[in-house]
């Protein structure tokens, strides 16, 4: 059992490793600088951007308010369309459902489109342990599957690797292909390697970007075509998504799609927007004969209870907050140690996994506010992170029912803040304190633990400002 | 797992967040005339390496008769609809015309390995984003626009909408979605290695739009 202190130490160790990996930091800096510039180019008119953000926020907020009705409507529509709907409260349940479906179909090989929800459930490992071969088919996901690493970014999973590292992986796993560091040639190699997989896989698994209740439609956003292949070429398609992804109407989709692709990668639109409403119909010659949707809760319904924390669920997973985070750019995604890194990870993961397990993450924030400014659905990320910091050290019971509430509270720290509050709330005590601190400044300790590892110790001035001002003859304080 | 369903819905019904204002119906009218729409579509499509050619309505088979051999595209896949019929009537010399007329399971390996180019109709186009709208069906199945290395789409200029929101509204999509609806904006691409754009990953390496006028 790891304690909150272990959690903090492990996090600090990962940070230390990341900060000392110059190659990693160069890879992130150069990739993120490019993405930020491309996003900015897509929004030349600030008024239009703000209006689009308002629209996207309203669509997502409305869908969260009406979530139970919309999920039932979605289920009814999908079922009517011939798509089978499954509900899972936990990752274990979701994995078991998917395995049962694959097993019943006799599926032994699976091609997968990108899905962060399947990372939440660690689906690949679960299936592989049961003898099912799972091939990630998004190029970035394929690269990190070879490297046996988790994604370091929710949109660009292999963003931490440069071309030389990718070339090395291809040499190791595909020695039959001539070695190259040329990105176009590497891309063509991946095409050749994965083409057979698409043609021969028994089943395809994908995520979902938006699920439309009105029409019973699963929408997937992608550039490569691997998502379309995974959902079209095999006889069986299983989609997995979080319960919060439902939206009410088809007409809600265009503004979300536009702001998603522009915010995520600085593209006016992705190459493919794939809308699936049915399995193969009589007379149709391709497409899966069976389509399943697994709706995963995994803490989402609990998050929705709190009026403030609820905003977390508006997220459309564009990654803009991550791309603009001054902490993420230094650390990269793996240092966080969670499925979702960066600002959205700081807000979501302590709620989903528990403050006692990953609450320390919330310290990885400078409160600069960049994430909140770029968020396409106006999630007040700095406010949420601040709230979770307070929840982590709060000594009272909380209505939000957050797992691990108060688990990072330290009695010494709590006493310090209580004293601080007393001092600042009482002018007399404050004057006494500053009088003493300035007179006794020679006694300031030269070393203050971690603070003075990279900084000099703060020393009080010889006289408080208040006294200096009086000496100058000012009387009105 | 219906217990899971009941428990999730029960938790969700147990509280209703404060109502947030319902979103306005999203429309983004640009007031673009026909020529402006054609120009925008072409510019956006070409910006992501899609080819666009304006061709007279009755001359697209001529264009193909000229271009397919010139580009070395010999194994040509067409569907069972009007496009396939018209092309079959005057198949250019040196071209093997193949019909997608049996379930994919019967010829999957050949579809993946042998076909050079597929030719389909597009249902509509979106000018603002340079996008083809396809509703694949029994006559022109889903994998045609995905598996062959080259995809040629025929788009009637009269079916160019300003944008996605307009297409959904004007064509009233909400009344009945097809098995699969697709927006396609350029050939397949990736930027997963060093955020550097590379074309032709899993889908078509080339996307050619013939704008029929």
């Amino acid at each position: 059992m790891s304690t909150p202190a272990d959690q903090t130490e492990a996090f600090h160790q990962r940070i230390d490793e990341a900060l000392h990996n110059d190659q990693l930091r160069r890879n992130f800096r150069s990739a993120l600088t490019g993405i930020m510039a491309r996003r900015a180019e897509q929004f030349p008119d600030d008024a239009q951007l703000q209006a689009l953000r308002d629209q996207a926020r309203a669509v997502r907020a409305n869908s969260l308010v009406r979530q139970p009705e919309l999920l039932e409507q979605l289920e009814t529509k999908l079922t009517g369309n011939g798509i089978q709907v499954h509900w899972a409260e936990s990752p274990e349940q979701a994995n078991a459902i998917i395995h049962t479906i694959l097993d019943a179909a006799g599926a032994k090989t699976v091609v997968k489109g990108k899905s962060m929800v399947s990372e939440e459930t660690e689906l690949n490992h679960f299936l592989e342990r049961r003898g099912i071969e799972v091939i990630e088919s998004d190029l970035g996901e394929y690269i990190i599957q070879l490297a046996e690493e988790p994604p370091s970014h929710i949109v660009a999973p292999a963003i931490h690797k440069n071309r030389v590292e990718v070339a090395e992986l291809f040499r190791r796993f595909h020695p039959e292909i001539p070695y190259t560091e040329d990105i176009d040639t590497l891309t063509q190699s991946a095409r050749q390697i994965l083409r057979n997989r698409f043609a021969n896989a028994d089943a395809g698994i994908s995520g979902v970007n938006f699920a439309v209740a009105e029409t019973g439609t699963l929408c997937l956003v992608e550039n490569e075509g691997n998502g379309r292949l995974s959902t079209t070429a095999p006889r069986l398609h299983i989609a997995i998504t979080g319960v919060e992804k439902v939206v009410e109407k088809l007409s809600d989709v265009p503004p979300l799609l536009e702001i998603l692709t522009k915010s995520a990668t600085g593209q006016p639109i992705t190459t493919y927007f794939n809308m699936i409403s049915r399995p193969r119909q009589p007379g149709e010659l391709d497409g899966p004969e069976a389509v399943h949707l697994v709706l995963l809760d995994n803490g989402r319904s609990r998050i929705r209870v709190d009026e403030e924390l609820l905003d977390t669920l508006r997220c459309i997973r564009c990654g803009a907050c991550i791309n603009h985070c001054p902490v993420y750019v230094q650390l990269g995604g793996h240092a966080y140690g969670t499925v979702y890194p960066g600002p959205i990870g700081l807000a979501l993961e302590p709620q989903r996994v528990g403050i006692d397990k990953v609450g320390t993450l919330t310290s990885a924030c400078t409160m600069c506010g960049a994430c909140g400014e770029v968020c396409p659905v106006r999630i007040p990320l700095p406010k949420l992170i601040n709230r979770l910091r307070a929840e982590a050290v709060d000594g009272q019971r909380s209505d939000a029912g957050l797992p691990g509430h108060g688990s990072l509270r330290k009695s010494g720290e709590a006493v310090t803040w209580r004293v601080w509050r007393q001092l600042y709330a009482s002018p007399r005590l404050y004057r006494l304190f500053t009088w003493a601190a300035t007179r006794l400044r020679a006694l300031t300790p030269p070393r203050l633990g971690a603070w003075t590892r990279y900084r000099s110790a703060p020393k009080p001035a010889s006289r408080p400002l208040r006294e200096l001002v009086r000496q100058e003859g000012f009387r009105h304080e | 797992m219906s217990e899971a369903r009941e428990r999730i819905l029960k938790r969700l019904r147990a509280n209703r967040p404060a109502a947030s204002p319902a979103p306005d119906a999203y429309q983004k009218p640009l007031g673009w005339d026909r020529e402006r729409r054609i120009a925008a579509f072409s510019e956006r499509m070409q910006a992501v390496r899609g080819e666009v050619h304006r061709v007279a309505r009755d001359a697209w088979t001529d264009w193909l008769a000229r271009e397919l051999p010139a580009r070395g595209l010999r194994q040509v896949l067409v569907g069972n609809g009007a496009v396939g019929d018209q092309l079959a009537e005057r198949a250019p010399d040196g071209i093997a015309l193949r019909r997608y007329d049996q379930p994919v399971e019967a010829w999957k390996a050949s579809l993946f390995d042998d076909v050079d180019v597929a030719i389909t109709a597009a249902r509509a186009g979106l000018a603002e984003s340079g996008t083809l709208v396809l509703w694949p069906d029994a006559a022109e199945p889903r994998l045609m626009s995905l598996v062959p290395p080259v995809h040629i789409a025929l788009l009637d200029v009269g079916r160019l909408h300003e944008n996605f929101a307009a297409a959904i509204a004007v064509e009233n999509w909400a009344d009945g979605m097809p098995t699969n609806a697709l927006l396609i904006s350029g050939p397949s691409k990736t930027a997963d290695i060093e955020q550097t754009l590379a074309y032709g990953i899993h889908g078509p390496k080339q996307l050619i739009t013939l704008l029929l006028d």
Side-chain angles (χ1 to χ4, degrees):
Chain A
M1 234 358 242
S2 75
T3 66
D6 295 339
Q7 175 207 139
T8 306
E9 197 186 315
F11 185 37
H12 287 176
Q13 197 175 335
R14 290 194 302 271
I15 290 173
D16 206 47
E17 279 163 23
L19 290 180
H20 286 94
N21 187 337
D22 291 344
Q23 182 63 59
L24 186 84
R25 293 176 67 186
R26 270 196 297 276
N27 294 354
F28 274 102
R29 172 61 73 190
S30 97
L32 295 181
T33 303
I35 296 181
M36 284 192 286
R38 285 197 294 280
R39 174 192 171 274
E41 277 172 25
Q42 291 301 324
F43 298 116
D45 181 332
D46 190 60
Q48 276 178 20
L49 167 60
Q50 301 313 330
L52 189 57
R53 289 176 77 205
D54 288 337
Q55 181 73 26
R57 193 206 68 85
V59 166
R60 291 294 304 136
N62 179 58
S63 95
L64 290 173
V65 170
R66 305 199 43 220
Q67 199 175 12
E69 298 100 277
L70 293 181
L71 283 170
E72 283 183 292
Q73 188 189 358
L74 177 72
E75 182 186 43
T76 305
K77 276 286 172 186
L78 286 172
T79 309
N81 291 353
I83 294 177
Q84 298 170 62
V85 180
H86 310 262
W87 303 69
E89 290 189 277
S90 64
E92 296 74 26
Q93 275 180 14
N95 288 345
I97 290 167
I98 291 173
H99 180 242
T100 305
I101 298 168
L102 291 172
D103 208 36
K108 288 284 163 210
T109 57
V110 172
V111 278
K112 245 183 103 216
K114 196 172 152 29
S115 156
M116 287 308 295
V117 175
S118 76
E119 297 287 340
E120 276 181 43
T121 72
E122 299 183 40
L123 177 64
N124 292 7
H125 291 144
F126 182 89
L127 294 178
E128 280 158 7
R129 280 197 301 274
R130 282 153 187 82
I132 293 174
E133 189 186 15
V134 183
I135 315 290
E136 289 287 353
S137 62
D138 170 88
L139 177 58
E141 291 282 349
Y142 182 69
I143 290 167
I144 60 169
Q145 189 180 32
L146 292 181
E148 296 186 39
E149 291 172 12
S152 60
H153 187 289
I154 64 171
V155 173
I159 195 169
H160 57 293
K161 297 227 176 284
N162 64 20
R163 70 183 78 194
V164 180
E165 294 166 295
V166 175
E168 283 298 331
L169 280 170
F170 275 56
R171 167 150 69 192
R172 183 141 58 95
F173 290 93
H174 298 286
E176 70 281 7
I177 297 171
Y179 181 85
T180 176
E181 292 172 9
D182 177 68
I183 289 175
D184 278 318
T185 316
L186 285 167
T187 302
Q188 287 311 307
S189 301
R191 179 186 176 95
Q192 287 317 315
I193 294 163
L194 287 164
R195 214 164 159 74
N196 275 334
R197 299 298 196 159
F198 288 121
N200 297 315
D202 300 320
I205 295 179
S206 75
V208 174
N209 290 93
F210 320 114
V212 184
E214 178 182 35
T215 54
T217 301
L218 309 177
C219 304
L220 279 82
V221 179
E222 59 147 344
N223 279 309
E224 297 188 4
N226 70 303
R228 282 184 66 197
L229 279 163
S230 302
T231 58
T232 315
R235 305 183 88 122
L236 171 64
H237 168 211
I238 305 170
I240 177 170
T241 197
V243 287
E244 85 283 16
K245 291 278 173 62
V246 66
V247 296
E248 183 181 356
K249 294 189 187 130
L250 197 61
S251 59
D252 289 336
V253 171
L256 289 183
L257 175 64
E258 179 177 349
I259 206 160
L260 171 62
T261 66
K262 288 182 173 178
S263 301
T265 52
Q267 300 180 88
I269 192 167
T270 47
T271 303
Y272 301 116
F273 186 61
N274 183 6
M275 310 176 81
I276 298 166
S277 303
R278 283 181 191 77
R280 187 190 305 194
Q281 298 297 293
E284 292 179 354
L285 301 175
D286 60 19
E289 284 148 3
V291 179
H292 297 259
L293 174 68
V294 179
L295 288 165
L296 176 67
D297 184 345
N298 197 20
R300 289 163 170 85
S301 59
R302 189 187 59 231
I303 294 171
R304 183 171 165 277
V305 171
D306 186 284
E307 287 282 351
E308 187 177 39
L309 299 175
L310 156 76
D311 292 347
T312 320
L313 299 173
R314 285 210 295 266
C315 180
I316 54 173
R317 305 285 189 261
C318 72
C321 62
I322 299 174
N323 301 337
H324 290 75
C325 177
V327 177
Y328 177 90
V329 72
Q330 301 295 342
L331 299 183
H334 288 156
Y336 292 79
T338 46
V339 173
Y340 302 93
I344 186 61
L346 265 55
L348 176 62
E349 297 294 46
Q351 300 185 61
R352 192 175 69 82
V353 183
I355 291 172
D356 48 337
K357 303 210 172 56
V358 297
T360 303
L361 281 190
T362 57
S363 63
C365 170
T366 65
M367 289 284 147
C368 77
C371 51
E373 269 176 43
V374 297
C375 177
V377 289
R378 296 192 186 277
I379 300 173
L381 286 157
K383 195 174 100 187
L384 294 178
I385 294 166
N386 213 22
R387 160 80 186 273
L388 291 168
R389 285 178 173 179
E391 290 270 349
V393 297
D394 187 16
Q396 311 292 313
R397 287 180 61 84
S398 158
D399 295 334
L402 285 175
H405 168 89
S407 60
L408 301 185
R409 183 180 178 83
K410 291 182 198 146
S411 52
E413 205 172 74
V415 168
T416 308
W417 287 115
R418 205 173 311 134
V419 170
W420 182 87
R421 197 171 59 200
Q422 293 288 332
L423 274 178
Y424 277 68
S426 153
R428 276 186 41 223
L429 270 179
Y430 183 77
R431 273 198 295 274
L432 186 66
F433 169 72
T434 52
W435 185 89
T438 49
R439 267 65 183 183
L440 302 174
R441 63 197 288 259
L443 302 180
T444 311
R447 295 261 179 278
L448 293 169
W451 181 264
T452 44
R453 232 175 105 196
Y454 300 110
R455 307 173 190 86
S456 50
K459 200 168 195 180
S462 58
R463 290 291 176 271
L465 183 61
R466 168 194 301 273
E467 286 180 34
L468 296 176
V469 163
R470 272 181 200 233
Q471 277 170 20
E472 293 297 319
F474 293 96
R475 284 290 170 265
H476 298 289
E477 288 177 14
Chain B
M1 286 294 166
S2 66
E3 276 176 35
R5 175 188 190 275
E6 293 317 314
R7 278 202 293 266
I8 292 169
L9 286 174
K10 193 175 160 200
R11 279 198 296 272
L12 293 174
R13 285 196 203 100
N15 90 303
R16 194 179 176 89
S20 91
D24 302 330
Y26 181 74
Q27 286 294 318
K28 195 177 159 193
L30 302 168
W32 289 357
D33 65 11
R34 195 182 114 105
E35 284 308 311
R36 182 77 197 278
R37 288 200 293 267
I38 293 172
F41 174 87
S42 306
E43 189 193 321
R44 282 307 322 154
M45 186 59 101
Q46 285 159 0
V48 288
R49 283 205 206 166
E51 269 184 52
V52 181
H53 302 277
R54 287 184 79 166
V55 178
R57 197 173 300 277
D58 53 5
W60 63 269
T61 49
D62 297 332
W63 189 93
L64 290 175
R66 193 172 65 242
E67 290 293 326
L68 292 178
R71 293 168 188 242
L73 302 171
R74 306 205 176 281
Q75 297 292 323
V76 179
L77 179 66
V78 291
N80 276 320
V83 171
D85 291 344
Q86 287 174 55
L87 198 59
E89 269 174 33
R90 51 157 311 177
D93 295 337
I95 293 300
L97 205 59
R98 255 180 116 148
R99 293 267 191 170
Y100 199 146
D101 55 7
Q102 53 185 333
V104 66
E105 286 75 20
W107 67 297
K108 213 181 219 176
S110 180
L111 168 64
F112 272 80
D113 296 340
D114 303 336
V115 175
D116 294 326
V117 54
I119 300 165
T120 73
R123 174 191 174 89
L126 311 177
E128 191 187 13
S129 52
T131 301
L132 293 168
V133 178
L134 266 67
W135 282 23
D137 55 16
E140 289 187 344
R142 294 163 70 170
L143 291 171
M144 288 184 75
S145 62
L146 182 58
V147 172
V150 182
H151 174 210
I152 299 176
L154 311 178
L155 173 61
D156 190 318
V157 288
R159 303 203 47 107
L160 263 180
H161 297 281
E162 284 182 345
N163 49 38
F164 190 21
I168 286 179
V170 172
E171 299 185 4
N172 207 2
W173 286 26
D175 266 9
M177 288 291 280
T179 300
N180 182 217
L182 296 163
L183 306 187
I184 301 179
S185 311
S188 150
K189 64 180 183 291
T190 183
D192 274 348
I193 305 176
E194 291 190 8
Q195 293 299 299
T196 303
L197 209 49
Y199 283 90
I201 171 74
H202 300 302
K205 302 177 184 185
Q206 289 179 52
L207 176 64
I208 301 168
T209 304
L210 301 187
L211 268 179
L212 306 186
D213 205 345

